[in-house]
Amino acid sequence: MEVRIEPCYPEIDAHESRVIEDLKSSSTQPIAEPSGWLDEEINRNILVTTVDKLLNWGRKTSLWTETSFTACCTFEFISTSSSRFDIARFGMEVLRSSPRHSDLIVTAGTLTWKMAPQIKRVYDQMAEPKWVIAMGACGISGGIFADSYSVVPGYNRILPVDVYIPGCPPRPEALLAGIEKLRKKIEQSSISNKS
Amino acid sequence: MLSEFGLTALFIVIVLGFSVSLVLIPVALRKPGIVPHNPSDIKSAPYECGLDTIGPTWVQFKIRYYFYALLLITLDVVIIFIYPWAVELHNLGASGFWPVVSFLAIVGTGYVYAWRKGALEWK
Amino acid sequence: MAELILFPASIRSELPFGFWLHLAIFAIGIIAILLTSVIIFIWFERRLVGRFQLRKGPNRAGPFGILQSVADVIKILTKEDIIPSRADKFLFWLAPVIAFSPVVVMLAVVPVAGGALLADLDIGILFIIAMSSITSLGIFTGGWASYNKYSLLSSMRVVSQLVSYEIPLILSLVGVVMLTGSLSLDEMVNAQNVPFILLQPTGFFIFFIASLAEISRSPFDLLEADSELVAGYNIEYSGMKFATFYLTEYCEAIVLSTLTATLFLGGWQGPWLPPLVWLLLKITLVFSIIVWIRATLPRLRIDQVMGFAWKFLLPLAVLNILLTGSFVAFWPEAPSWMIGIANLVLLIGYILFRSRFFKPGGVTVGAS
Ligand code: SF4
């Protein structure tokens, strides 16, 4: 019997490849780490400082993670969130599948260009304030696939990454250390800064 | 008794006001910059796991769901009859028992029929 | 005030503080206690689930992590408020209000001590049933208004599930009503010299399971099955509106625990301790059982959920009505232990009988 394979929705396929090519050509340079404000002298008064303290404490204590994991580093994340390492101690065991509810993307895994527009869209749809942790060698620079035509060389091409965690894969302790770094970073942010 | 109903109604109003204010807090906090607010086209598009949505969302739904609604209405009527009867049963005694049993038997026949016809199946 | 909470006499007859003060005390009291207990119970559940899974659970914020939910509230309150551009804006704003208000209103008829309740309606139970069905309307409105396919599907599931479990839920309380001869919750608690769980084990069984489904707790949490429906009816909600839905879920769980404690466990009655403390202890007990169930059972399939309501619980509820009704009608002076044992025999016999023939949803695994 003759088998014919036709693309069901040729215009959608064409649109998809156009989006990917656009993204590829527009992200040749890494996006800078969004921490310029750290050195900036911000004019804080006593009220702003108090509100900042409260907000930052709340935000760093309940970081809800978006479940958008792409490859093998995920298993280290799962291991971190289960009994032995227990991410719940930091109030982070709430994994929300909807970007509207979540504060943090842990980019655990290799990202291909085919998947990149989706990840970027998920990030864009997250409610602010939001943070990104690049986990693993692939997340930082593409890792062992850095030379491949199909792999995004580092998440910072498409997202502003806050914390980088090296390793292939990073051990759960490393992930916890990275989360600790992010919490320190959140502590220093301020509402009077609109970056 | 009327004052009890008045209390309930006022309480409903209080709770409504409370929950409306709960939802409106972020709008008030937006002004001093505590709640961030920068909408964009992508952000306010429907979330479908990072893809564009295809086709309309508000479409006709499976008839399956309405079967249960119909059955609910039937049985809700039964409940309306049963509650006053249950409250007064210890005064009515045996003479009040048999009519409701026959009533339940009639409804039960319909229930068995619906079961036999497969109306209770989720397909 | 303190006397009212600790040792209330029969204050009902004349509303000792007058109409407005009575309203103010109870309205503020109910809302304050409910919100505080939600914050504590969320933390409690997370700690308890952690223990069930050999973890520690949240322990960084405050002593034993007790401020964890406070941090969650602060964060979620100051999160951006996203309104989808294609949503039905008015309903989108209205839905959390519709879902949240009736849950709180239900507590108006629950006595915290003898005669101490906001409004002693003589149709207490009917009021609670009516209010509990409005919440599902709010959830459906939210799912429909957000213009999202997943949330629409999820809210359709919610409505069909709630509609199915409402019937056994209401019918299971008829036995209690017959034994009391009144619909007022105050009189129901007063009638419980023996807690109704001993007289009406079948009613308790149906009521507890049906209300688990009614508040969509596991194993009936189909509406927010993460793996198939992303996050359920509240996908598009962020910030405080999402928090209101979240609050609704927990308030429902607490109100369910309160109702179970009031209707079946003797309410505020108990020796030595003040009535309010007894009520809170019983609520904590029931809530812990709900968490235990969540930590133990996997989620059911939708056809199993529906089949269980219509084919298993509904006949059992009707049988319970007939059994209890024949006791009340023909033998009103029957000793209470006899009613209890007959009821228990019915429950166990029915489960044994049905478990041999009954297949949930009419399909065995692998048959189709
Ligand atoms: S860094 Fe290593 S473990 Fe992580 S995604 Fe890349 S290849 Fe996999």
Side-chain angles (χ1 to χ4, degrees), chain A residues 54-55 57-59 61-62 64 81-83 86 88-98 100-103 125-129, chain C residues 46 53-61 67-68 70-72 74-76 78-80 82 226 230-231 234-238 242 246:
Chain A
L54 189 68
L55 288 192
W57 174 75
R59 283 172 180 169
T61 314
S62 88
W64 293 3
S81 53
S82 51
S83 311
D86 190 19
R89 288 174 297 154
F90 308 97
M92 284 181 62
E93 87 269 43
V94 190
L95 292 177
R96 299 303 307 189
S97 330
S98 165
R100 318 287 192 190
H101 313 160
S102 45
D103 316 279
Q125 290 190 331
M126 276 167 75
E128 280 170 41
Chain C
R46 285 167 76 172
Q53 298 170 349
L54 295 180
R55 297 188 281 113
K56 279 205 156 58
N59 63 359
R60 285 297 196 274
L67 296 180
Q68 182 60 49
V70 181
D72 286 343
I74 292 175
K75 180 211 73 176
I76 223 163
T78 58
K79 224 158 150 57
E80 189 183 2
I82 299 174
D226 299 33
V230 186
N234 51 21
I235 298 179
E236 297 289 350
Y237 282 90
S238 71
F242 165 65
Y246 204 68

Side-chain angles (χ1 to χ4, degrees), chain A residues 26-38:
Chain A
S26 69
S27 45
T28 48
Q29 288 305 313
I31 300 172
E33 186 189 347
S35 59
W37 47 269
L38 274 185

Side-chain angles (χ1 to χ4, degrees), chain A residues 64-82:
Chain A
W64 293 3
T65 314
E66 163 80 17
T67 45
S68 65
F69 303 130
T70 45
C72 23
C73 274
T74 311
F75 291 92
E76 294 302 315
F77 186 89
I78 293 168
S79 149
T80 316
S81 53
S82 51

Side-chain angles (χ1 to χ4, degrees), chain A residues 71-73 109-110 136-138 145 167-169:
Chain A
C72 23
C73 274
T110 325
C138 292
F145 314 108
C168 179

